[in-house]
Amino acid sequence: QKEITREEAWSKDLTYLENRINELLYTPNQAISKTDLSKEILDIKTNIASLSDEQIIFKIMRLFGALGSGHNLIFPTSPNKGALKKLPIQFYQFNDGLFIVDAEEGFEKWIGYKVDLIENTPAEAALQKTNTVNARDNDMQTLWLGPYYLGLPDVLKGLGIIKNSNEV
């Protein structure tokens, strides 16, 4: 059996994804047209060689966000290959702002701190930017999943919140 390249593997996965979206998820009420969906997938396929796996995953997350259905989302932090790295802290959005509510060993001192800025982006603006990858049904999903996405450096970079995903 012939070994396939990284580009061929991603291309096959993207073709499969587009077919399944069109078969199972797509309705005339989607936030993105079928034509635009096809254009976005073609754009990813055309640029696979110049994109990192993390950038491709982010673009797929953005596609799911454009579908606008909160039941179709990606948690890209599986321990398997292709997972996005996570910050060692967990955020939660309260009425009075974004706070660090949990942390891995060695980062506990940050628990309880309010987050005003992520790099130069105000926390509230950063949370709203997550809506492009957060395939939500309502604003509650912004509050529920937005803080989760803010903990993924590659998502922060893809959203233009930070410049370097290795320095948050």
Side-chain angles (χ1 to χ4, degrees):
Q1 185 171 357
K2 177 188 172 225
E3 191 74 23
I4 64 171
T5 67
R6 172 186 174 271
E7 288 80 11
E8 290 169 330
W10 271 117
S11 185
K12 284 177 179 268
D13 288 346
L14 289 161
T15 297
Y16 178 80
L17 177 64
E18 182 177 13
N19 290 339
R20 295 302 285 175
I21 288 171
N22 285 325
E23 179 184 345
L24 299 173
L25 303 177
Y26 197 84
T27 68
N29 301 333
Q30 297 299 143
I32 186 173
S33 70
K34 278 190 174 188
T35 302
D36 288 343
L37 176 70
S38 290
K39 283 180 186 176
E40 290 291 327
I41 289 181
L42 180 60
D43 180 62
I44 298 169
K45 285 181 176 181
T46 304
N47 293 296
I48 291 171
S50 64
L51 295 170
S52 68
D53 289 344
E54 292 80 8
Q55 289 170 315
I56 293 170
I57 292 167
F58 174 78
K59 287 178 178 289
I60 294 170
M61 290 173 68
R62 202 171 56 200
L63 267 178
F64 272 80
L67 290 170
S69 173
H71 290 84
N72 303 294
L73 58 138
I74 297 174
F75 288 112
T77 56
S78 158
N80 298 329
K81 182 181 174 194
L84 300 185
K85 58 188 169 284
K86 283 185 66 176
L87 294 176
I89 56 173
Q90 180 182 340
F91 300 112
Y92 188 84
Q93 177 70 24
F94 291 95
N95 288 340
D96 55 343
L98 184 70
F99 286 82
I100 298 171
V101 295
D102 198 7
E104 292 177 9
E105 188 175 327
F107 295 90
E108 300 93 344
K109 68 181 181 180
W110 300 108
I111 296 174
Y113 276 79
K114 183 177 182 181
V115 179
D116 293 320
L117 296 168
I118 299 177
E119 212 158 274
N120 295 318
T121 303
E124 182 60 34
L127 186 64
Q128 289 306 310
K129 284 185 173 201
T130 66
N131 285 339
T132 62
V133 294
N134 189 352
R136 68 208 176 285
D137 291 322
N138 54 52
D139 290 340
M140 191 60 210
Q141 269 178 275
T142 299
L143 295 176
W144 172 56
L145 282 174
Y148 169 79
Y149 290 126
L150 291 177
L152 304 174
D154 292 300
V155 170
L156 293 173
K157 184 177 180 198
L159 294 173
I161 296 170
I162 63 172
K163 289 181 179 70
N164 183 338
S165 62
N166 292 320
E167 298 177 11
V168 180

